Amino acid sequence: MDIVLQIEDIIEKNGSDFELSKLFKSYINEYKTSLSGLFEKSQGKDFLVRHSKKLDSILSLMYKTVLRRVFGNYIPMRSSIPIAIVALGSYGREQLCVHSDIDLLIVYEKVDGFNSELIIEKLFYLALDSGLKLGHRVHEIGDLFRASNEDVTIRTSLMEARFVTGSNFAWHATTKELNRIRLHNQKGFILAKIEEAQIRRKKYPNSMQPNIKESVGGLRDANLIFWVAQTIYGVTSLKDLTGVVYSEDEYRDYRIALELLFRVRSALHLIAKKQEDRLLLEHIPQVSRMLGFNNQQKMATKVLEAQWRISNFTQIFVKKMVRVFITDISLVAKFRKNRISMGIYALDDRIYASYHLKIQPINSLLEILVSLPDKFYHFDAGFLNQLTYTKISHPLNSKTYSLLKELFKKQHMYCFLKLFYDAGILHHLFLNFKKVLHLPQFDGYHQYPVDIHSLKCVQALESIREPFIQSLYDELSDDEKLLVKIVTLFHDTGKGRKQDHSEVGAKLIVPFMKKVKIKDELIERAITLVKQHVTMSSVAFKQNIHNEKVLYKFMSNIQDVKNLKLLYVLTYADINGVGVDVYNNFSSKLLRDLYNSALEVAQNVGRITDATKRMNIEKRVQKVQEFLELPKPLQNKLLRVESNLFFFKHTPLDIIKIAIKANNTKEYAYSIHTNTSLSIEIYRKIPLNIGYLLATLSHLDVASMEIFTLFDGVKYFKIEFIHNVSGNEAIELEEIVKNAFDMNLHVELKNVNISKDEINIDCEHSLTHAELAVNTQNQRGLLAYIMNCFEQLHINIVTAKIHSTKHRVRDSFLMEKQNEICNNVEKIYQLLTKGN
């Protein structure tokens, strides 16, 4: 049954107010469930208008129902009842979102014969009991002017008044009062709204999770320009000012941006089933689908771009409209005195430009910026207008690059970069930013899109709060400061592509640096810094910075101490640019500790070279198909094998084969090869009686021996002999190897002679290992004797490098610094030399 008929049925049967509110509540809930379907057919402003009109019809029906209850069958003509129901706020603008409050103004006149207060009261009760979220005001028409002067918020809401239902006469009287309010103290109202907007924009800056309503470039900015336009010009639509304040193209671009925000906000309300104006990361997938975007990143980029567009349009044209209201005649002489060029002025560290000034060429504007004393500046909307609409031709000429270089040399460049961003020319002056303009970062870490993050990093670089890092920066030459500032701005411009953004960014920075004529040596440093810009934070926060392998690998990437210092400064700026309070005491300490430790190992060039060599071999291993087929855990174990020599001595395929065998080892495994000469490979988890094995085979000259600690407690031994064995000896050999896992077996060792001067023990080899080298006469059983000594002293050999000739041996052993071996060096000498 039609709702009108149902209402009549309840009234005719003298039903209760509860029955009527229940009927309306059911009707409203049924309408709400249809909104998702309506949104699929009609989005943006059209959806909001339809929703607003539907609520108009519901409120009109409620009002009619109340009148029917009050007057029975003898309802007076609606215009004769001195009440008007008026929509305010977003409802008044026909932009009411699904779960926003319905702001109503009910105006009335006290007329004998009409109990207006009773009618209004019944209407409110019916609306509230039916589940409508009302924000309402009730005023006598003659009281509106006084109320509007009490609170700027009341005046603002009255400016958006729209007649819904009731008396046309009451509405006509109301419009006279509203026009009176609009014309009263326009300057005071406009200044109050601008100040309110400035506070709001600081509270809700650009971010990765923007507030569609309150953030910079949000719907509140769009409201501001409408309030200003309506106050000054009395227009009901911004479109009425095209050709007067702004061009049709400018207004069209603004309206397209605004339309997208309307769509996003409506989608958020429908998804959250409540008033939700933040584009949270978890909502992005569903919002993208509802708006018809196949790519979530593209949708988020469009939203960020739309907010930039609205912010730019609002800043420029609000000021253009209000300048006649806020011009202070007393400052005219001061402006003239501080004129930079025709129509452009500097006053109190703010740069102004007249709206009457013809748009200047980009180089002229850059020359003005370069000529300014080196301090932080703010820029008036008139100057923003110049930068927004200046023409920039590509390729940029050498003069433009020269001027940009001069800006980079300034101590305060962030204010200029922010100006370029606000004007929408950042990617025109720095082509690397084309791909990352308004590019979101869905990593849960960065609080800003890539372009704003890059600017925030420069801001952090120019306002270093940590004294030690400031001292490092102050020690840099002017050329190095220029280098680090360029790198800080460009370090993330490789994002938005499938390849590693650090590698891409390193390629992209080169053309710009050549255009601004940076020295080749500094360009090479810039390439390294961009490639490694996440390395320092990654190592500091995720790895053991007291492990020497980690430190040498880190320094092999960084290359030298100068790059280390530059990277430390860059990392500080990068982390501070991520968001508020991301850089803290904990992260500061980790980075400082890594810097100090890396500074120590940087002195050992040879070890850094080894680390570089190791990394190159690892890269080759990782490209081999056999490696790619390994389980991920085994891949990680293999790459964490500590010994560089293990990687240096084996081919990628051999490395993979050894890792597979080690992974399959339960207690021990071995293989004996007698192809050309004898070699024995052993994998063991349980102890190996290496002294027994070598002593038993001492009649065979050892050509080389490898010992490598692999992973999961597995050690790998490879012993190669000069000669071969055959027949029964080969059969006996297998039994000897098996017996070598019995730690109770002993063989009498042959006498060997080693003098103290033939032994060198280096306890400063590294933080975790000592090296023992023996250079002596080749003697049968020598290696068995040395290994037996190590076992007696409980020394764990990580790597053994055996080099034997007919007459001499040059053996070196890498030992773990445990059991206080470096405090017992004399004991090692005594045992090896038998006290000689």
Side-chain angles (χ1 to χ4, degrees):
M1 186 186 295
D2 183 272
I3 188 171
V4 176
L5 296 178
Q6 292 180 68
I7 291 169
E8 280 299 316
D9 186 55
I10 292 172
I11 293 173
E12 286 294 329
K13 293 178 180 178
N14 201 24
S16 66
D17 290 343
F18 173 74
E19 289 178 274
L20 285 170
S21 63
K22 184 179 178 182
L23 174 63
F24 271 105
K25 190 169 189 175
S26 175
Y27 179 71
I28 291 167
N29 286 338
E30 185 180 342
Y31 165 66
K32 286 181 177 178
T33 59
S34 71
L35 282 170
S36 293
L38 176 63
F39 185 77
E40 290 179 9
K41 300 174 185 176
S42 170
Q43 297 185 6
K45 178 68 185 295
D46 185 55
F47 172 77
L48 299 176
V49 170
R50 286 171 181 254
H51 179 54
S52 299
K53 292 296 186 186
K54 182 65 178 179
L55 287 170
D56 287 355
S57 68
I58 292 172
L59 286 167
S60 297
L61 186 57
M62 284 182 172
Y63 183 58
K64 182 178 179 181
T65 301
V66 169
L67 295 180
R68 182 80 170 79
R69 293 283 275 186
V70 172
F71 294 103
N73 293 325
Y74 303 98
I75 303 176
M77 292 183 64
R78 195 170 300 177
S79 291
S80 65
I81 302 172
I83 297 173
I85 298 169
V86 180
L88 300 179
S90 60
Y91 183 31
R93 297 189 303 271
E94 294 186 322
Q95 296 173 6
L96 183 67
C97 210
V98 177
H99 289 288
S100 295
D101 290 351
I102 303 164
D103 292 330
L104 280 183
L105 167 68
I106 299 186
V107 289
Y108 70 98
E109 291 179 307
K110 287 187 177 180
V111 177
D112 292 340
F114 291 100
N115 191 345
S116 298
E117 287 93 340
L118 175 65
I119 295 171
I120 293 168
E121 183 181 323
K122 283 186 173 291
L123 176 62
F124 277 135
Y125 278 127
L126 177 57
L128 292 171
D129 291 343
S130 300
L132 292 181
K133 292 169 59 181
L134 291 185
H136 60 275
R137 304 190 64 83
V138 179
H139 288 283
E140 283 189 73
I141 294 172
D143 188 46
L144 286 173
F145 183 80
R146 180 196 59 79
S148 71
N149 287 320
E150 290 179 353
D151 189 339
V152 71
T153 305
I154 297 174
R155 174 167 175 172
T156 305
S157 64
L158 291 174
M159 291 180 62
E160 299 165 322
R162 178 177 59 84
F163 180 59
V164 176
T165 189
S167 167
N168 288 315
F169 298 123
W171 171 242
H172 182 67
T174 300
T175 57
K176 287 184 176 179
E177 288 299 304
L178 294 177
N179 197 47
R180 180 186 170 201
I181 291 167
R182 179 180 71 82
L183 295 172
H184 176 72
N185 190 18
Q186 291 178 315
K187 179 178 179 179
F189 173 72
I190 288 170
L191 290 178
K193 297 311 294 182
I194 290 174
E195 182 182 4
E196 180 184 271
Q198 289 171 341
I199 294 170
R200 171 183 51 78
R201 286 166 67 95
K202 287 180 181 177
K203 184 178 179 181
Y204 298 97
N206 301 102
S207 75
M208 269 302 302
Q209 300 187 106
N211 188 307
I212 301 301
K213 182 179 178 182
E214 305 289 354
S215 285
V216 172
L219 296 174
R220 280 287 184 230
D221 276 355
N223 297 157
L224 173 66
I225 193 169
F226 172 75
W227 294 330
V228 170
Q230 211 247 18
T231 300
I232 296 173
Y233 296 97
V235 296
T236 57
S237 169
L238 287 180
K239 189 176 183 180
D240 297 340
L241 295 179
T242 52
V244 178
V245 177
Y246 32 74
S247 69
E248 288 189 9
D249 288 344
E250 290 162 350
Y251 176 71
R252 184 190 65 246
D253 291 342
Y254 161 79
R255 275 294 302 143
I256 290 171
L258 189 60
E259 184 74 7
L260 178 60
L261 295 196
F262 286 148
R263 294 172 66 201
V264 172
R265 189 177 184 223
S266 295
L268 285 170
H269 279 224
L270 290 170
I271 290 166
K273 296 182 172 59
K274 63 178 182 179
Q275 185 168 331
E276 177 57 86
D277 297 327
R278 298 165 301 164
L279 184 57
L280 301 176
L281 295 179
E282 61 260 35
H283 293 323
I284 287 177
Q286 200 168 346
V287 172
S288 297
R289 288 194 296 272
M290 290 180 72
L291 269 56
F293 284 93
N294 295 324
N295 186 304
Q296 296 175 30
Q297 189 179 80
K298 185 175 181 181
M299 189 279 293
T301 296
K302 288 290 185 184
V303 171
L304 294 169
E305 182 182 7
Q307 289 194 307
W308 169 84
R309 175 69 63 187
I310 290 170
S311 176
N312 175 270
F313 184 84
T314 303
Q315 287 182 79
I316 291 173
F317 295 113
V318 163
K319 180 62 183 295
K320 189 174 182 180
M321 287 189 281
V322 306
R323 67 193 190 282
V324 294
F325 284 87
I326 62 175
T327 300
D328 188 343
I329 301 299
S330 66
L331 293 176
V332 171
K334 219 173 182 181
F335 270 103
R336 285 176 180 167
K337 186 178 178 181
N338 290 276
R339 192 180 79 173
I340 299 172
S341 64
M342 181 64 69
I344 296 179
Y345 310 88
L347 188 63
D348 299 330
D349 299 335
R350 183 177 290 272
I351 310 302
Y352 298 81
S354 169
Y355 279 91
H356 298 297
L357 177 66
K358 180 183 175 183
I359 300 298
Q360 299 296 296
I362 184 60
N363 282 356
S364 298
L365 294 169
L366 292 176
E367 283 174 345
I368 289 170
L369 298 181
V370 168
S371 71
L372 295 172
D374 196 351
K375 59 173 73 172
F376 190 93
Y377 292 92
H378 296 278
F379 298 92
D380 188 67
F383 197 78
L384 175 64
N385 181 58
Q386 285 286 326
L387 269 293
T388 298
Y389 296 106
T390 188
K391 288 187 178 179
I392 302 176
S393 301
H394 292 100
L396 301 178
N397 58 45
S398 58
K399 178 67 174 176
T400 305
Y401 280 113
S402 175
L403 291 167
L404 290 175
K405 183 178 182 180
E406 291 305 309
L407 284 180
F408 270 110
K409 290 180 180 179
K410 286 181 176 288
Q411 184 178 346
H412 300 280
M413 191 198 183
Y414 168 73
C415 56
F416 304 125
L417 293 173
K418 182 66 164 58
L419 171 66
F420 299 155
Y421 171 83
D422 289 342
I425 62 170
L426 186 70
H427 60 301
H428 291 301
L429 293 177
F430 308 107
L431 302 182
N432 300 28
F433 275 88
K434 278 192 173 182
K435 281 276 188 179
V436 296
L437 195 68
H438 311 302
L439 183 69
Q441 305 187 85
F442 298 133
D443 53 12
Y445 174 61
H446 288 88
Q447 297 176 16
Y448 308 108
V450 176
D451 48 3
I452 295 178
H453 163 69
S454 301
L455 269 57
K456 292 283 186 183
C457 292
V458 174
Q459 183 183 33
L461 179 68
E462 294 179 344
S463 54
I464 298 172
R465 298 188 302 274
E466 194 159 317
F468 180 71
I469 296 177
Q470 182 67 56
S471 69
L472 290 180
Y473 183 76
D474 291 341
E475 290 170 5
L476 300 176
S477 68
D478 289 342
D479 283 347
E480 288 165 350
K481 288 177 180 176
L482 173 64
L483 161 70
V484 78
K485 190 167 289 189
I486 293 174
V487 171
T488 300
L489 178 62
F490 282 80
H491 73 280
D492 267 350
T493 52
K495 287 188 172 180
R497 299 163 173 85
K498 292 181 180 179
Q499 307 97 308
D500 184 313
H501 80 278
S502 299
E503 294 288 337
V504 176
K507 294 175 183 176
L508 291 176
I509 200 171
V510 174
F512 178 82
M513 297 194 81
K514 287 184 176 179
K515 290 287 187 182
V516 296
K517 298 180 180 178
I518 303 296
K519 296 174 184 175
D520 288 344
E521 183 258 332
L522 292 178
I523 291 177
E524 287 303 313
R525 291 196 183 279
I527 291 170
T528 299
L529 291 172
V530 175
K531 281 184 177 181
Q532 306 301 330
H533 75 267
V534 298
T535 301
M536 191 167 193
S537 56
S538 179
V539 171
F541 302 153
K542 298 177 184 178
Q543 298 186 44
N544 179 5
I545 60 176
H546 302 293
N547 182 299
E548 79 161 355
K549 178 189 169 187
V550 170
L551 294 173
Y552 279 114
K553 186 173 182 180
F554 171 67
M555 276 310 301
S556 71
N557 283 314
I558 310 310
Q559 298 176 6
D560 60 32
V561 171
K562 177 61 71 177
N563 282 348
L564 176 62
K565 292 180 178 180
L566 292 169
L567 182 62
Y568 192 10
V569 174
L570 171 62
T571 303
Y572 170 86
D574 190 8
I575 298 175
N576 275 279
V578 168
V580 179
D581 297 330
V582 175
Y583 188 91
N584 51 39
N585 290 335
F586 177 70
S587 55
S588 171
K589 184 179 184 307
L590 285 176
L591 289 170
R592 180 72 177 272
D593 288 348
L594 173 58
Y595 172 79
N596 288 333
S597 298
L599 210 54
E600 286 183 25
V601 304
Q603 313 306 318
N604 195 334
V605 177
R607 297 297 299 279
I608 295 173
T609 303
D610 280 354
T612 304
K613 184 178 176 183
R614 159 73 178 263
M615 284 177 55
N616 292 333
I617 295 171
E618 282 185 11
K619 288 177 183 177
R620 291 204 297 272
V621 171
Q622 288 172 288
K623 291 178 181 178
V624 175
Q625 183 61 36
E626 286 81 353
F627 176 85
L628 299 174
E629 293 172 357
L630 297 179
K632 278 286 182 185
L634 182 53
Q635 290 181 5
N636 293 331
K637 289 177 188 177
L638 189 160
L639 296 175
R640 285 200 297 267
V641 170
E642 189 168 335
S643 172
N644 289 335
L645 191 59
F646 173 71
F647 284 85
F648 299 165
K649 287 181 69 73
H650 301 97
T651 67
L653 282 176
D654 285 340
I655 290 169
I656 295 165
K657 288 176 183 177
I658 291 170
I660 292 171
K661 288 181 182 178
N663 195 54
N664 293 330
T665 298
K666 304 303 180 188
E667 291 187 338
Y668 69 86
Y670 66 88
S671 57
I672 300 170
H673 307 279
T674 56
N675 297 331
T676 54
S677 61
L678 172 64
S679 68
I680 303 171
E681 278 187 297
I682 298 173
Y683 300 81
R684 66 85 174 156
K685 273 190 175 180
I686 62 174
L688 172 68
N689 195 337
I690 187 68
Y692 164 81
L693 179 62
L694 292 172
T696 306
L697 300 177
S698 61
H699 61 287
L700 300 170
D701 289 328
V702 175
S704 67
M705 181 173 73
E706 298 175 10
I707 303 176
F708 297 113
T709 300
L710 300 178
F711 47 77
D712 296 340
V714 176
K715 253 188 176 178
Y716 169 69
F717 297 77
K718 185 174 183 181
I719 310 168
E720 294 184 315
F721 297 86
I722 294 174
H723 303 292
N724 208 343
V725 296
S726 60
N728 290 336
E729 194 173 9
I731 298 171
E732 291 172 1
L733 188 59
E734 188 162 342
E735 192 65 27
I736 292 170
V737 174
K738 286 181 180 179
N739 289 338
F741 291 96
D742 184 347
M743 299 303 293
N744 295 315
L745 295 177
H746 297 283
V747 174
E748 186 176 342
L749 298 172
K750 297 184 180 297
N751 287 325
V752 296
N753 290 307
I754 309 173
S755 61
K756 188 174 180 179
D757 60 2
E758 293 176 325
I759 303 170
N760 181 56
I761 301 175
D762 179 13
C763 280
E764 301 302 320
H765 177 79
S766 72
L767 295 171
T768 55
H769 296 93
E771 185 181 45
L772 184 146
V774 178
N775 184 350
T776 188
Q777 182 182 354
N778 195 356
Q779 305 165 62
R780 182 155 293 183
L782 175 67
L783 189 57
Y785 174 77
I786 293 173
M787 295 303 294
N788 184 264
C789 290
F790 289 154
E791 287 181 14
Q792 289 183 51
L793 294 169
H794 304 290
I795 292 174
N796 182 34
I797 300 299
V798 177
T799 300
K801 187 176 182 182
I802 308 301
H803 179 73
S804 302
T805 64
K806 186 175 181 180
H807 301 291
R808 302 290 296 178
V809 295
R810 293 178 180 84
D811 300 345
S812 65
F813 305 88
L814 201 61
M815 311 176 292
E816 285 187 357
K817 285 183 178 179
Q818 59 184 22
N819 300 321
E820 297 189 339
I821 62 170
C822 285
N823 293 328
N824 294 289
V825 170
E826 284 304 317
K827 188 181 288 188
I828 299 173
Y829 279 125
Q830 285 181 6
L831 196 58
L832 288 173
T833 62
K834 299 179 183 179
N836 294 334

